[in-house]
Amino acid sequence: GDECLIWPFARDAKGYGVVKYDGAYQGAHRVCCILSEGPPPTDHSEAAHSCGNGHLGCVNPHHLRWATQLENAADRIG
């Protein structure tokens, strides 16, 4: 659906969900993006939220996409 899916487990200090995946702790939103969109296109790709609720723990795969750091920062401003 279109509603945010809020991560109900461990979170970091900024509110993003955290999960152990592939032997390391990672952002839950990043892991959900990997599982729904495939691996990041570059080592510097970020899992960006279209909903603006990453800090609230959103992991809805419909809200996630791979973006550059600049694109992700522009989302926060706009």
Side-chain angles (χ1 to χ4, degrees):
D2 289 336
E3 295 180 17
C4 291
L5 298 174
I6 304 302
W7 184 253
F9 305 110
R11 305 243 193 125
D12 67 14
K14 295 181 180 179
Y16 291 85
V18 178
V19 63
K20 192 168 188 178
Y21 176 79
D22 202 20
Y25 286 98
Q26 299 188 49
H29 64 291
R30 185 170 179 85
V31 173
C32 287
C33 198
I34 290 169
L35 295 174
S36 65
E37 301 293 319
T42 72
D43 290 340
H44 302 291
S45 296
E46 298 183 356
H49 292 84
S50 62
C51 62
N53 290 324
H55 67 289
L56 299 177
C58 179
V59 293
N60 185 332
H62 298 288
H63 296 182
L64 298 169
R65 72 186 189 294
W66 293 118
T68 66
Q69 184 179 23
L70 191 60
E71 291 167 334
N72 199 12
D75 284 350
R76 290 184 206 114
I77 296 168

